[in-house]
Amino acid sequence: ADGTQVVTASDDGTARLWDLQSGESTALEGHEGGVFHASFSADGTQVVTASEDGTARLWDLKGRQLAIFQGDSATLSPDGQRVATVQDGRVKIHDLATLSERLTWGCQWLDNYLKYGPATDADRAACNLPPRDDSPQPDTVSSADTSATLTVSPFVSDMVHRAMVDTSFFTGKKAGHTDT
């Protein structure tokens, strides 16, 4: 769109983005067959490729694959909101406007796994979450005549909704327990 880059398709299974000023290129790698089509979106921020492997792929200008579709050919709509692919003589329209919404939904759906499961800090970063802090966080429970500090890890404290406390904890007298 701005005339600073060219995209090429190749039989070696790659497409390349070429910077016209420096002559350097960025490979768009992932196809398993020759790439016979590559074109920019109208605004020049994305590239769509199609390959003899039966896939069409959407890329950003840094060479990151954004989406993969089944199809023998592909084109982006002028507004950049949809990709049309052709497979077995049928045209299929893929809505890209909701791609970021789908990513956001995916991060929300994985929230418990990312916060409490075996997710790595790199997994958490993909959803813009900070590294996990498993250090104990103090929570204070008190009454009029006594105070105590309970140390609970964030893993536990975020999941606890109710706790049973023996009233003797507060009064020193043996008794039943109370919901808190």
Side-chain angles (χ1 to χ4, degrees):
D2 64 4
T4 62
Q5 292 184 310
V6 172
V7 63
T8 59
S10 176
D11 284 338
D12 69 1
T14 65
R16 289 191 173 274
L17 290 170
W18 296 88
D19 183 300
L20 294 178
Q21 294 285 4
S22 68
E24 294 180 16
S25 70
T26 301
L28 307 178
E29 299 176 313
H31 285 291
E32 296 176 9
V35 179
F36 55 81
H37 171 82
S39 63
F40 285 102
S41 60
D43 66 0
T45 61
Q46 297 175 330
V47 171
V48 66
T49 59
S51 169
E52 61 189 27
D53 67 5
T55 66
R57 298 171 191 244
L58 185 66
W59 312 84
D60 69 10
L61 298 185
K62 294 184 181 194
R64 294 180 295 214
Q65 182 176 290
L66 303 175
I68 184 170
F69 310 100
Q70 295 300 310
D72 301 322
S73 63
T75 189
L76 281 157
S77 64
D79 65 3
Q81 299 298 305
R82 290 173 290 293
V83 170
T85 59
V86 178
Q87 183 179 18
D88 299 327
R90 294 183 180 178
V91 175
K92 184 167 183 179
I93 306 297
H94 307 274
D95 187 9
L96 300 178
T98 60
L99 187 56
S100 63
E101 293 169 6
R102 290 177 186 157
L103 292 174
T104 299
W105 178 85
C107 286
Q108 291 170 351
W109 185 72
L110 292 171
D111 188 58
N112 282 335
Y113 169 78
L114 293 170
K115 285 183 179 175
Y116 311 116
T120 65
D121 286 343
D123 296 334
R124 294 170 55 75
C127 286
N128 297 319
L129 292 173
R132 182 172 33 215
D133 179 11
D134 287 330
S135 63
Q137 303 294 318
D139 287 334
T140 302
V141 177
S142 62
S143 73
D145 51 73
T146 187
S147 175
T149 300
L150 304 175
T151 303
V152 180
S153 77
F155 174 77
V156 174
S157 66
D158 284 352
M159 294 189 310
V160 172
H161 300 287
R162 284 181 64 149
M164 301 298 281
V165 177
D166 190 318
T167 55
S168 66
F169 174 81
F170 296 107
T171 64
K173 297 178 185 175
K174 261 312 196 194
H177 39 74
T178 306
D179 283 338
T180 59

